[in-house]
Amino acid sequence: MAAPAEQAGEALAAPGPAVPEAVAVLEQFLQEGGLPALLWELCREQAGAPGPQEALLAQVVCLPDRVSNKLQGKNPPLFFPQNYFPLLGGAIIQVLQKISDSLRGGLDCSISFVSHVLGKVCLHGKQKEILSVLVPRLTDLTKSDCIWQRICWRLVECVPDRCMEAVVLGFVQRAPGADVLSRLLGNLVVKNKKAQFVVTEKMLLLQYGHTTAVLQNLLGYLALDSLRRALLIKVLKDLLETWGNSSAVKHSPPEQQRYISQAILICLSHLREHEIESCRQELLTSMMEGVKCHLDSNLPQIRRLGMIVAESISLKINTDGPVLKFQYEEDDEARELKSLLVQTPPSVVPSLPDEDRNEKADAAALVVLESNKKSHTAAPVKPDEESDAELDSDDDFIPYDMSEDKELKTKAPVYIRDCIEVLTGSEDVDKWEATVKALESLVRKNPAATREVSVELAKILLHLEEKTCIEGFVELRQRAQIAILTTDPIPVAKYLTSQFYSLNYSLRQRVDILDVLVLAAQELSYPKSHGKTKHSGAQKPCIQLLPGSDSSKDWRRVVDERIKSKTRRFATGHSQVERASGPNEFSSVAGHFFFPLIQHFDRPLTTFDLLGEDHFVLGRLVHALAILMYLAVNTVAVTAMGKALLEFVWALRFHTDSYVRQGLLSCVSSVLLSVPAEHLLEDITEELLETQSWLGDVVEKDPDGDCRRLALQNLQLMENLKKKLKTVPS
């Protein structure tokens, strides 16, 4: 059967009009079942002389490509990859069936050529097409037949090393469970070093795109045999070493860290008691190192991953004693991660019949009844007479009717200086609470009186601590601080920015200073109505998205707005609503908010080191500077602010924390959006060129996806500015 195929292959390789005839011969050869016969003949020949025929191997595997090249894409449907490789998979099953029959009859045959075909097909990226046929059939054939299991093991063991990764990955991805994978691969990872590297290192530590089901297949396969369990322990230790590496936590993307966390939890679910006992101290050390690295991260998802994994390790190693417990949001992702700690059965359990289900329910009810009996015997109920005797005689008194009583409300102060006295020295808790609630409105109603004591009041609020459990205390204090800052911007801004770099402040207070500065700048930059009630319903300018659920109803409005925006009108009558307008009050004070914050970031203090361990505050500072820069659009100092901000970004561009780098890229966006294009090219040319080069490196090399996206947006903004300047006549 090999002669017609070889002749057709030679005709296919030769140029000329013989190509269509050769393709027709090959098509007939495949339709008549010649491919299984060809493979079987080669397996019998190699039983005495090992070593595959490379030329014929290439023709079998690359036949669709060669036919397509010769016919320029006009090949018959049989030679499409989605049709040819399932056909080849069926041929391999037929050959393996003949090999099984030969072995049962005592005859020798070689499986090497079939292994080479399988390896080369998978290496060419056609795992899905061929394994979609092989894996289901081999799963059924190896269920209860040890000879078929040995044939399958030999099939993958004879795959060349250069193809081993593709074959192993294909089997792991398409096996329906860990028990099936164990039947198909056997102890391949113990016998073959390349397969061991792929399974224990490459798929777990160097890749992170596999699904949770693939991870469960992979680690469950290692746990199902005593020879492979040593590799499971080794894998767990390697994963914990990576999970607890501070450099890996800083430089790896969140997706990879979640992938490693999933693998750790699945490994823990497969550990046995004696294995946990043997490595308890190592697990404890790895847990302490890893949770510290994760809690130091600025990204909330990384911190939560560290908490969940640390809780799981603590639960495994401290079965009797106290375990770690953190406070975090219990969402679907957290519940999914915790569910991985519970080992799933190796195969799908069918639903119980009705009789079995009833028996299970009866057994469960019996257990509940027994437990109830035990609880009753452990805590006997006292007789009624004894319990009545212990009743207090005061219960006979009739209570007063208090339905008409009203709560006495403490009157809030009406003067600013009275508020200062209450907040600093009053012991009356009710009066203190009323003052905190009324302070914002009092400041806004009395701007002249506020300016006299603005700095003193800002200092009091900065150090104010909650005396009672007042609802929304943090928000009330912040709103009062914003009101003071907007009423008297320059002196209060000078005070707050000077205190940001002062000693003896907590990180929370420094972050509060940044939040107040940003929110006050936002309020100052918005126009005020100045008492006009004509258009009080107009909203502040903001970005709004059309709701997706009402898109079918709003199409007319969207079309009308587009038509209006493109229509020239010479007279508009009274149809348009006049928007609130007024001077930008932030314009004259922007420098007082911005420049003091950017001056001393590189000077470490005894209790505050922005470039060291306090990188969380540095991230908040960078994001605050980006917002202040954006709000300073059309101000006099915007060009100087942009130049200083780009120099600040350049100094911190290689920071290891992704949250800080995201803020730096936001700063670049704010500069490009706020500084006029002409000033960018005239005054900040050198800084822009350096920034553009850095943005290109971020797009290509930064491990964080959000950083890459922001860098790409900045490069697009730069291109748009160039196009805009080219269209403007000189």
Side-chain angles (χ1 to χ4, degrees):
M1 292 295 293
E6 291 178 352
Q7 294 174 2
E10 293 173 359
L12 191 63
V19 172
E21 289 79 3
V23 172
V25 171
L26 286 172
E27 187 174 8
Q28 183 180 0
F29 173 77
L30 295 176
Q31 290 174 345
E32 294 177 355
L35 194 54
L38 172 63
L39 297 178
W40 171 239
E41 183 178 344
L42 291 169
C43 289
R44 286 194 304 172
E45 289 178 359
Q46 288 185 350
Q53 301 180 12
E54 291 295 337
L56 194 55
L57 175 66
Q59 288 181 2
V60 170
V61 175
C62 303
L63 184 60
D65 296 333
R66 299 185 67 181
V67 171
S68 180
N69 289 338
K70 288 296 180 180
L71 298 182
Q72 299 298 314
K74 299 178 181 178
N75 46 329
L78 184 61
F79 293 99
F80 291 166
Q82 61 268 30
N83 297 328
Y84 175 77
F85 289 108
L87 179 67
L88 181 58
I92 290 176
I93 291 293
Q94 295 180 35
V95 173
L96 294 180
Q97 183 66 59
K98 291 183 179 181
I99 291 175
S100 173
D101 297 338
S102 298
L103 292 177
R104 297 175 199 275
L107 300 177
D108 291 336
C109 54
S110 173
I111 202 172
S112 177
F113 187 78
V114 178
S115 298
H116 281 70
V117 170
L118 174 62
K120 196 155 189 174
V121 170
C122 292
L123 188 63
H124 287 191
K126 303 300 179 184
Q127 299 107 315
K128 180 181 178 182
E129 288 80 1
I130 194 167
L131 292 180
S132 62
V133 175
L134 283 180
V135 171
R137 291 290 294 127
L138 292 176
T139 300
D140 294 335
L141 292 169
T142 56
K143 276 183 180 178
S144 58
D145 194 327
C146 61
I147 293 181
W148 265 105
Q149 289 184 11
R150 296 292 298 275
I151 291 173
C152 192
W153 298 349
R154 190 64 182 165
L155 175 68
V156 292
E157 288 172 8
C158 293
V159 171
D161 281 349
R162 68 180 184 276
C163 310
M164 185 60 73
E165 179 183 348
V167 174
V168 170
L169 181 59
F171 272 95
V172 172
Q173 288 178 333
R174 282 158 187 84
D179 57 334
V180 175
L181 188 63
S182 182
R183 294 204 311 265
L184 297 181
L185 298 185
N187 285 329
L188 177 67
V189 292
V190 179
K191 300 176 181 179
N192 189 287
K193 292 296 182 183
K194 182 64 179 290
Q196 184 179 125
F197 169 75
V198 171
V199 169
T200 62
E201 295 186 33
K202 190 163 188 178
M203 292 184 66
L204 295 173
L205 300 175
L206 304 180
Q207 300 173 348
Y208 57 92
H210 303 298
T211 62
T212 306
V214 171
L215 275 177
Q216 290 175 326
N217 275 357
L218 187 66
L219 298 169
Y221 161 72
L222 294 179
L224 284 177
D225 189 88
S226 58
L227 293 176
R228 302 193 294 262
R229 289 195 70 86
L231 293 176
L232 179 69
I233 304 297
K234 175 182 177 297
V235 162
L236 177 59
K237 292 179 180 179
D238 292 342
L239 288 169
L240 285 173
E241 183 180 356
T242 304
W243 178 75
N245 189 313
S246 59
S247 178
V249 172
K250 288 180 181 178
H251 297 94
S252 301
E255 296 81 7
Q256 184 173 11
Q257 297 185 48
R258 186 178 189 276
Y259 181 81
I260 290 176
S261 300
Q262 287 178 321
I264 291 174
L265 295 177
I266 296 172
C267 284
L268 290 173
S269 72
H270 290 289
L271 287 187
R272 296 169 181 167
E273 283 296 331
H274 68 277
E275 293 169 337
I276 295 175
E277 191 64 35
S278 64
C279 58
R280 186 185 303 274
Q281 190 58 42
E282 293 182 53
L283 290 175
L284 180 61
T285 304
S286 301
M287 179 190 73
M288 298 304 294
E289 294 176 354
V291 74
K292 180 181 182 302
C293 298
H294 284 75
L295 292 180
D296 284 343
S297 174
N298 289 337
L299 300 178
Q301 63 266 38
I302 302 301
R303 294 198 296 271
R304 189 172 61 170
L305 279 177
M307 296 176 193
I308 293 173
V309 175
E311 283 183 356
S312 303
I313 297 174
S314 174
L315 186 64
K316 278 289 183 180
I317 63 179
N318 297 324
T319 53
D320 299 329
V323 297
L324 281 178
K325 190 64 181 175
F326 296 96
Q327 292 182 352
Y328 51 84
E329 183 182 359
E330 285 278 356
D331 58 359
D332 293 338
E333 182 183 5
R335 285 188 287 270
E336 179 187 353
L337 287 171
K338 289 184 176 182
S339 68
L340 298 177
L341 197 61
V342 181
Q343 184 177 343
T344 56
S347 57
V348 179
V349 180
S351 58
L352 293 172
D354 293 339
E355 297 177 0
D356 294 342
R357 190 181 295 114
N358 293 335
E359 292 177 4
K360 298 278 186 181
D362 294 340
L366 184 60
V367 171
V368 173
L369 288 175
E370 291 179 354
S371 63
N372 289 339
K373 289 180 181 178
K374 292 180 180 179
S375 63
H376 285 304
T377 57
V381 181
K382 296 183 179 180
D384 293 339
E385 295 81 9
E386 184 179 353
S387 59
D388 291 337
E390 293 180 356
L391 290 176
D392 193 348
S393 60
D394 291 343
D395 292 343
D396 296 334
F397 288 113
I398 301 174
Y400 287 107
D401 183 11
M402 303 178 67
S403 58
E404 301 296 329
D405 288 4
K406 296 182 180 180
E407 182 181 357
L408 296 177
K409 294 185 178 180
T410 304
K411 189 176 181 181
V414 293
Y415 298 107
I416 297 293
R417 293 189 181 275
D418 293 342
C419 292
I420 294 177
E421 292 179 3
V422 172
L423 294 177
T424 54
S426 176
E427 297 296 332
D428 189 344
V429 176
D430 294 333
K431 197 170 185 179
W432 182 90
E433 185 174 335
T435 303
V436 172
K437 292 181 178 179
L439 184 57
E440 181 198 1
S441 60
L442 199 59
V443 167
R444 296 189 184 277
K445 291 177 182 177
N446 301 277
T450 301
R451 292 189 185 98
E452 296 177 0
V453 292
S454 58
V455 176
E456 182 182 357
L457 195 54
K459 181 178 180 180
I460 293 172
L461 290 176
L462 183 59
H463 295 84
L464 188 65
E465 295 182 358
E466 188 174 6
K467 286 185 178 181
T468 63
C469 187
I470 177 173
E471 184 178 358
F473 168 75
V474 175
E475 184 181 358
L476 290 170
R477 183 183 63 178
Q478 185 183 77
R479 284 161 51 185
Q481 288 175 298
I482 294 170
I484 296 167
L485 183 53
T486 54
T487 302
D488 198 9
I490 294 179
V492 178
K494 285 182 178 179
Y495 169 74
L496 291 177
T497 52
S498 66
Q499 298 307 299
F500 180 77
Y501 289 108
S502 296
L503 290 169
N504 302 324
Y505 280 96
S506 66
L507 299 184
R508 179 71 263 172
Q509 287 174 308
R510 299 181 199 275
V511 173
D512 287 342
I513 291 174
L514 294 176
D515 292 342
V516 169
L517 288 170
V518 167
L519 292 172
Q522 189 174 7
E523 182 176 327
L524 288 171
S525 65
Y526 284 153
K528 295 180 174 61
S529 59
H530 297 290
K532 295 180 182 179
T533 59
K534 180 180 179 181
H535 307 298
S536 59
Q539 297 179 350
K540 293 181 179 179
C542 59
I543 299 174
Q544 292 182 344
L545 298 176
L546 291 175
S549 59
D550 297 335
S551 57
S552 59
K553 301 177 182 178
D554 294 340
W555 68 271
R556 175 69 66 184
R557 181 171 58 83
V558 174
V559 172
D560 291 343
E561 288 179 357
R562 290 181 181 176
I563 293 174
K564 288 180 181 179
S565 66
K566 296 180 181 295
T567 304
R568 294 180 62 190
R569 298 184 182 275
F570 298 98
T572 56
H574 299 284
S575 61
Q576 292 185 346
V577 178
E578 181 184 353
R579 292 186 177 182
S581 61
N584 183 352
E585 297 181 11
F586 184 62
S587 174
S588 58
V589 298
H592 298 283
F593 282 65
F594 182 84
F595 289 111
L597 288 179
I598 211 171
Q599 284 180 349
H600 306 301
F601 71 94
D602 55 347
R603 299 180 186 177
L605 302 175
T606 307
T607 58
F608 187 47
D609 185 8
L610 274 179
L611 300 184
E613 59 182 8
D614 297 324
H615 48 82
F616 172 74
V617 184
L618 177 62
R620 295 294 294 267
L621 170 64
V622 173
H623 282 83
L625 291 172
I627 298 173
L628 293 176
M629 183 73 223
Y630 180 75
L631 296 175
V633 62
N634 298 327
T635 62
V636 177
V638 67
T639 305
M641 291 171 61
K643 186 178 180 66
L645 190 56
L646 287 182
E647 293 175 354
F648 172 79
V649 169
W650 187 253
L652 296 174
R653 67 191 185 281
F654 294 127
H655 200 279
T656 56
D657 193 277
S658 58
Y659 181 68
V660 176
R661 296 198 304 275
Q662 292 172 16
L664 296 174
L665 292 165
S666 299
C667 289
V668 176
S669 301
S670 298
V671 172
L672 295 175
L673 293 171
S674 300
V675 181
E678 298 80 6
H679 294 180
L680 282 174
L681 294 183
E682 291 176 3
D683 303 328
I684 322 178
T685 307
E686 185 177 352
E687 289 83 357
L688 271 183
L689 293 176
E690 292 174 341
T691 303
Q692 187 176 18
S693 175
W694 169 62
L695 291 174
D697 290 339
V698 172
V699 171
E700 295 179 0
K701 303 174 184 178
D702 198 291
D704 186 76
D706 290 333
C707 289
R708 295 194 299 270
R709 177 181 55 81
L710 288 170
L712 186 59
Q713 289 179 355
N714 286 330
L715 289 174
Q716 292 174 344
L717 280 175
M718 289 184 174
E719 288 298 322
N720 293 339
L721 287 174
K722 289 181 182 177
K723 293 178 182 178
K724 180 180 178 181
L725 289 174
K726 287 180 180 178
T727 57
V728 176
S730 57

